[in-house]
Amino acid sequence: MKSFTRIALALAGAAALLSTAARADGPQAIGIAANHAGLAAAAGGIDMVHTHLHHVLNCLVGPGGDGFDAAPGNPCGAAGGAIPQTADAATKARLQTAATQVKAGIANPDMGASKKVASDVQAMLK
């Protein structure tokens, strides 16, 4: 029984550490999203603007989040999504606003307008 208890405690401790590590990835996902917003703002064609904006959205919402699309890629795969990992209400609201703007940029066929969204979102995320 004693070794079973030790194993159970060790597993519980490991789970707590993994949970803490997952929450710590929220800021990493925000940084990656900000980087890709900058890449979108500097892109030379609308397809690349939209691709990098999809990367931003994927980093913000995470797999299973509203608007997540794995097809363009997910540079935050290991970091998860920033919004679901954020507990602070003000930060979460800012990230949700950014995600809404990114969705509009993805839907907009105008390169100048989409690049402006990317630039604005990059500033929001820094």
Side-chain angles (χ1 to χ4, degrees):
M1 264 318 207
K2 288 182 182 182
S3 71
F4 176 76
T5 303
R6 281 188 221 153
I7 291 170
L9 288 173
L11 289 174
L17 284 174
L18 288 173
S19 175
T20 300
R23 284 193 302 270
D25 287 338
Q28 180 184 7
I30 294 169
I32 295 169
N35 182 51
H36 281 271
L39 292 171
I46 190 67
D47 289 339
M48 287 310 295
V49 173
H50 287 163
T51 294
H52 285 294
L53 285 175
H54 271 292
H55 294 163
V56 174
L57 185 60
N58 287 348
C59 285
L60 293 175
V61 302
D66 184 28
F68 183 86
D69 183 358
N74 182 14
C76 289
I83 293 170
Q85 295 181 52
T86 300
D88 178 70
T91 301
K92 188 174 281 234
R94 179 174 53 90
L95 296 175
Q96 288 171 329
T97 298
T100 299
Q101 289 181 7
V102 168
K103 289 177 199 172
I106 292 168
N108 195 331
D110 180 83
M111 189 162 95
S114 291
K115 287 176 85 164
K116 169 93 169 77
V117 166
S119 181
D120 292 347
V121 166
Q122 184 183 32
M124 288 175 72
L125 297 176
K126 287 196 170 193

